[in-house]
Amino acid sequence: MVDFKNFSAILSCLDDYMVLKGKKEINDMEANRELDRAGLLKDSQPNPGSPLRDLLIKMRDSNILPQNIRQAYGTWTIKLSKTMAKLPLVNQFQYC
């Protein structure tokens, strides 16, 4: 299994893939297929996308899932991280 320290390499590989293909988001099966091709995460033949889903579930349960990865109705979607807006931190007591 891939440790969480290598996850930044996984995200940059997926970002490069999405930029190359002109996509703004991909699903977990397409992402795991690309990661297997790049040699970062071996894909499962009987259950395509399963290793990446397992990693994302562990990250979700540890509360360290990046904001560009979402799970809705059992489907994981990974968005291009460069399109995610960075929200400014607002101090609510700045005018007191």
Side-chain angles (χ1 to χ4, degrees):
M1 194 58 161
V2 174
D3 59 18
F4 299 133
K5 294 176 185 171
N6 291 337
F7 195 70
S8 61
I10 288 174
L11 281 182
S12 65
C13 175
L14 293 177
D15 281 346
D16 293 342
Y17 171 75
M18 285 187 267
V19 167
L20 181 69
K21 295 294 183 180
K23 296 183 176 185
K24 292 187 180 178
E25 71 178 21
I26 55 175
N27 64 5
D28 53 351
M29 288 189 292
E30 184 178 1
N32 209 156
R33 185 173 48 241
E34 175 59 25
L35 292 173
D36 187 21
R37 189 189 64 74
L40 292 173
L41 185 64
K42 183 92 172 112
D43 199 6
S44 171
Q45 291 299 329
N47 298 321
S50 179
L52 182 61
R53 281 192 297 270
D54 294 341
L55 177 65
L56 295 177
I57 288 170
K58 286 183 182 182
M59 292 183 75
R60 180 196 62 198
D61 293 344
S62 300
N63 202 23
I64 56 173
L65 193 65
Q67 68 178 4
N68 64 322
I69 300 175
R70 298 267 190 239
Q71 182 185 21
Y73 305 110
T75 303
W76 289 93
T77 57
I78 303 167
K79 292 185 179 182
L80 182 62
S81 65
K82 295 173 182 153
T83 61
M84 299 303 292
K86 306 292 186 221
L87 299 176
L89 183 62
V90 177
N91 185 359
Q92 63 181 347
F93 301 110
Q94 68 185 0
Y95 299 112
C96 293

